[in-house]
Amino acid sequence: MTTIGLIGSGNIGSTVARLAVAAGHDVVLSNSRGPQTLQDLVSELGPKARAGTAAEAAAAGDIVVVTVPLRAYRDVPAAPLAGKVVIDTNNYYPDRDGVFDELENGASTTGELLQRHLPEARVVKGFNNIWFEHLRTLARPAGSADRSALPIAGDDAAAKQAVTELFDSLGFDAVDAGPLAENWRTQRDTPVYVRPYGAYGVVPGTPASAQAVRELLAAAKPTAV
């Protein structure tokens, strides 16, 4: 089994951690406030979970999930992520993150920003288009007729394969949306963002098949963010 490092343990991070532990993976959680603030979550998750610093989670993870607000992406430790597969869950919300000109004018995507910050890591965009409660409730075993799919984007084929295998173990299919330059197709206000999995705030959600996700990715229009 794989060890999953989590840099950020909020709604998405803690949900990924729960799915990972249920699938038999070990998890190392971190956040900006320190390991001591994660003890209740670690106790809930059991012996396959522990808390650490962001650098410790980065070093321990075979795959590392970066799930922090975009405004904080430069705080992610680069050195311990060299050579690692990194799943980037970031979305751009100017009211929260401030204005990023390169995202406003379409010169970059959020995934490309993190890849430039982590030049020796292999960044794959994922988990960014689904509300955390739908992520929690829509996981299904492989082969289930009502299994949902999540899009991924990345520049490294082997890294995308590793993420596809992780998603499969967590209960989801993966749909390749192309390189990081195409990850705008999965960001907020695109057809594949949140709505395919059901109404925001309503659980358990609605399954979205791989074919449906492919069609929604294709329908996205190249507007700036």
Side-chain angles (χ1 to χ4, degrees), residues 46-192:
K48 297 189 76 64
R50 64 182 175 90
T53 65
E56 288 168 342
D62 299 305
I63 296 176
V64 179
V65 180
V66 171
T67 181
V68 299
L70 181 66
R71 65 176 183 268
Y73 84 89
R74 296 180 187 88
D75 297 332
V76 175
L81 290 171
K84 298 288 182 81
V85 174
V86 172
I87 301 176
D88 170 28
T89 79
N90 289 333
N91 286 305
Y92 173 45
Y93 303 105
D95 290 346
R96 179 196 68 183
D97 300 314
V99 174
F100 285 67
D101 289 339
E102 61 268 59
L103 299 179
E104 293 285 343
N105 63 26
S108 183
T109 65
T110 53
E112 289 176 306
L113 287 182
L114 186 63
Q115 182 65 81
R116 285 198 291 272
H117 176 64
L118 305 174
E120 297 183 58
R122 296 177 291 159
V123 173
V124 177
K125 176 66 74 172
F127 293 128
N128 67 299
N129 73 310
I130 187 169
W131 181 45
F132 76 97
E133 290 284 16
H134 290 158
L135 182 65
R136 178 181 64 85
T137 57
L138 290 175
R140 300 287 189 274
S144 298
D146 61 346
R147 203 180 210 213
S148 293
L150 299 171
I152 61 173
D155 297 336
D156 185 286
K160 286 197 280 192
Q161 181 58 35
V163 172
T164 296
E165 292 172 2
L166 175 64
F167 279 21
D168 181 55
S169 74
L170 302 185
F172 293 87
D173 293 331
V175 172
D176 192 343
L180 288 174
E182 292 291 306
N183 87 236
W184 59 268
R185 293 181 181 274
T186 73
Q187 300 280 202
R188 65 174 176 84
D189 299 329
T190 62
V192 82

Side-chain angles (χ1 to χ4, degrees), residues 190-204:
T190 62
V192 82
Y193 183 74
V194 177
R195 289 171 292 180
Y197 309 98
Y200 179 83
V202 178
V203 290

